[in-house]
């Protein structure tokens, strides 16, 4: 169809790993694909982005990338004012985005990572992978008993009206943290962020992560620098109506 690329979200990021023809190093490193670039084979037998072809080439392949990992830590730093290194983190969710976040945080040398997922087995499998790849990482598949520096929600709870909080309130209290980041950006204020704000936590939604992963995807597709200021303004207008 001559699309130069596409962007994926839940629940396709893990499925795409096995569907794309080839994977970029980013997709291999973080184990999920959220960005795909279509490429064609030229007359010299080299693969090039479709944007470089005037007519559709006969042979086309899909190349998978992950632009979420860098976007997560950049958003934490810029939108929440959190530097991951040396921090104790409660991560909710071990799916596509959660898995990427966990691996990225481990690579950023967090002090301790607490993984909580609806299915315990998936959290345990992720913990094993983290320990194998980052032997110095401290990972637990349970709620923390003491305070953590921030909570990161990578579940879909909060997308729908009436969703419950993405953690067990009998096992964890928002009074145990000072900051909460929710990857969800619509609604702009999820029940989790509303509760966190009431508890006196610093909060941020997923708009920044959406911006940074999308900007990187645009650069992968077009080969040009992304207009971050314009993109952020458009996103804020769409999400907040400002």
């Amino acid at each position: 169809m001559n699309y130069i690329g596409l962007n994926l979200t839940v629940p396709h990021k893990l499925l795409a790993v096995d569907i794309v023809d080839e994977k970029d190093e980013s997709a291999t490193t973080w184990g999920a694909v959220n960005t795909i670039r279509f490429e064609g084979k030229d007359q010299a037998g080299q693969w090039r982005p479709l944007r470089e072809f005037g007519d559709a080439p006969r042979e086309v392949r899909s190349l998978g990338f992950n632009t979420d990992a860098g976007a997560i830590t950049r958003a934490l730093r810029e939108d929440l004012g959190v530097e991951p290194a040396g921090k104790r983190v409660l991560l909710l969710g071990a799916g596509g985005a959660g898995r990427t976040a966990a691996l990225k945080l481990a690579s950023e040398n967090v002090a301790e990572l607490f993984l909580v997922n609806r299915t315990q087995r998936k959290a345990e499998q992720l913990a094993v992978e983290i320990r194998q790849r980052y032997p110095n990482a401290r990972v637990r598949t349970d709620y923390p008993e003491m305070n953590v520096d921030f909570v990161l929600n990578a579940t879909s709870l909060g997308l729908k009206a009436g969703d419950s909080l993405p953690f067990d309130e009998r096992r964890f209290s928002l009074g145990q943290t000072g900051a909460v980041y929710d990857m969800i950006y619509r609604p702009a204020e999820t029940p989790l962020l509303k509760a966190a704000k009431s508890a006196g936590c610093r909060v941020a939604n997923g708009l920044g992560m959406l911006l940074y992963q999308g900007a990187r995807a645009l650069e992968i597709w077009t080969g040009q620098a992304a207009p971050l200021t314009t993109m952020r303004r458009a996103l804020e207008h769409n999400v907040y109506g400002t």
Side-chain angles (χ1 to χ4, degrees), residues 207-219:
L207 188 142
M209 179 181 168
L210 175 67
L211 169 66
Y212 299 131
Q213 68 81 21
R216 178 62 187 131
L218 188 64
E219 292 171 349

Side-chain angles (χ1 to χ4, degrees), residues 136-156:
N136 295 326
R138 296 178 60 191
V139 189
R140 291 179 54 190
T141 56
D142 200 357
Y143 287 97
E145 296 177 0
M146 305 295 287
N147 290 352
V148 294
D149 294 289
F150 68 93
V151 175
L152 176 59
N153 178 39
T155 77
S156 59

